[in-house]
Amino acid sequence: MHLNTTPATSNSDAGASADDISLDKDILRSQIRPRRLTARSHRGEHGQQQMEELFTAHILEAVAQRVHSPGIIAAYLPTKSEPPIVQALNALHEQGHRILVPVVRPGRKLAWVHWDPTVEHPLSPMGIPEPEGEEQDTQAFIDADLRLIPALAFDAGGHRLGQGGGYYDRIIPLLSDQQLTGRSIGIVFSDEIYETIPYDQWDAILPVILTERGIFLAHQQG
């Protein structure tokens, strides 16, 4: 897969200070967020439907290769600017998988709640449905049979740039190597995989990344 060669300036290997890395992350986020909105607008309704169909096909294939019977999938409900994966989640639900999605709780923590697409859920301030029901803790994310993880960008080594809240950076390191490499998948658009991005030593690394073009394996995977 072709990588985005747009310079993303410093990273930890270059000896940049923590403040410089933080600033560079914020700059990159400020570039990606409006670009996502502009790209969606340019795609139009038909183009957005095609994009969703591409993500759906790749997600269903990836899940089928990794989860051979109905299981538990920790996913998320995307905002309008994020990769469109709701159609895929609907299909997985129809196949019998149990879908868990995060809800934000105090202390920058995530709780995990069962998502049923046939039930109408209240909207969060961001306009995302937030399921109500029994809340499960981080162990539900860890024990899931597969995890679909949002991001703003990745680099060729699998370093993940999130929204800045640190929610996933706290819980991804709790996964075993097998859980991480075999059954955890980062989700971004194809032009959001860069040759390099700014990162801190504690930032999560995901070896498997999925875009509308298919699966990308980070360099750690060989």
Side-chain angles (χ1 to χ4, degrees), residues 151-156 158-160 186-188 192-194 197 206 209:
L152 280 172
F154 287 95
D155 69 11
H159 294 98
R160 174 184 175 274
I187 308 290
V188 289
E192 293 166 353
I193 302 180
Y194 293 76
I197 62 173
L206 286 177
I209 304 162

Side-chain angles (χ1 to χ4, degrees), residues 26 150 168 171 194:
D26 287 342
Y168 285 92
I171 60 178
Y194 293 76

Side-chain angles (χ1 to χ4, degrees), residues 75-80 82 86 89-90 100-105 111 113-132:
Y76 64 98
L77 298 176
T79 65
K80 290 184 178 181
E82 290 181 304
V86 172
L89 299 184
N90 273 288
L100 299 179
V101 298
V103 292
V104 176
R105 290 297 174 254
V113 181
H114 173 234
W115 174 72
D116 184 343
T118 66
V119 176
E120 186 173 349
H121 301 290
L123 298 180
S124 73
M126 294 183 66
I128 305 172
E130 281 202 342
E132 296 177 323

Side-chain angles (χ1 to χ4, degrees), residues 185-203:
I185 301 173
I187 308 290
V188 289
F189 293 105
S190 59
D191 64 353
E192 293 166 353
I193 302 180
Y194 293 76
E195 288 188 354
T196 182
I197 62 173
Y199 64 87
D200 290 292
Q201 61 181 5
W202 56 80
D203 286 338

Side-chain angles (χ1 to χ4, degrees), residues 14 19 23 27 33 36 42 50 56 65 69 120 123 132 147 150 159 161 191 199 202 215-217:
D19 287 343
L23 176 60
I27 291 172
R33 288 170 179 148
R36 281 183 166 185
H42 287 170
Q50 289 182 319
T56 298
Q65 291 174 349
S69 61
E120 186 173 349
L123 298 180
E132 296 177 323
R147 288 152 289 274
H159 294 98
L161 179 71
D191 64 353
Y199 64 87
W202 56 80
I215 288 287
F216 174 86
L217 299 181

Side-chain angles (χ1 to χ4, degrees), residues 15-36:
S17 71
D19 287 343
D20 285 343
I21 294 170
S22 179
L23 176 60
D24 289 338
K25 286 181 178 180
D26 287 342
I27 291 172
L28 187 55
R29 291 186 184 106
S30 71
Q31 294 168 344
I32 293 173
R33 288 170 179 148
R35 189 175 68 209
R36 281 183 166 185

Side-chain angles (χ1 to χ4, degrees), residues 44-103:
E45 184 177 345
H46 180 65
Q48 185 69 9
Q49 181 179 347
Q50 289 182 319
M51 181 68 75
E52 184 151 27
E53 289 172 354
L54 289 171
F55 271 102
T56 298
H58 294 312
I59 288 173
L60 293 184
E61 181 181 4
V63 172
Q65 291 174 349
R66 292 164 173 80
V67 185
H68 303 301
S69 61
I72 298 175
I73 298 177
Y76 64 98
L77 298 176
T79 65
K80 290 184 178 181
S81 66
E82 290 181 304
I85 67 168
V86 172
Q87 181 176 302
L89 299 184
N90 273 288
L92 292 170
H93 178 267
E94 291 175 0
Q95 292 176 4
H97 296 284
R98 182 177 175 85
I99 310 298
L100 299 179
V101 298
V103 292

